[in-house]
Amino acid sequence: MPKLELTVNQVIDLVKQLPQKEKFAVLHALNQETGTRAEDEKSKQEEQELRALSAKRGLDWDRLSEDDKDVLAKKLLR
């Protein structure tokens, strides 16, 4: 399939021509893509913080069960 090269402004102009329902579909697709990345990054950062807090308490985050991790995270985030 040939690759179509467009500027950002051209893409915006094309999206503006879409019916409202299809504009929403484009927006939803973009939000899912960017939202997932932001959530993944936030999750990684939170896990690093929980690891550090666990270590300060003499606990090995990797050896904890999922249930223990949940309980500990709730206690630490209070």
Side-chain angles (χ1 to χ4, degrees), residues 32-48:
Q32 280 191 311
E33 183 178 320
T34 58
T36 300
R37 289 182 188 158
E39 289 173 15
D40 287 348
E41 194 60 37
K42 184 178 178 182
S43 293
K44 287 178 186 177
Q45 182 180 359
E46 289 171 348
E47 185 175 335
Q48 287 175 347

Side-chain angles (χ1 to χ4, degrees), residues 31-32 68 70 74 76:
N31 280 337
Q32 280 191 311
D68 289 340
D70 289 340
K74 287 175 184 174
L76 294 174

Side-chain angles (χ1 to χ4, degrees), residues 65-78:
S65 70
E66 289 302 314
D67 288 338
D68 289 340
K69 287 178 182 179
D70 289 340
V71 170
L72 182 60
K74 287 175 184 174
K75 285 182 182 179
L76 294 174
L77 296 175
R78 285 185 189 164

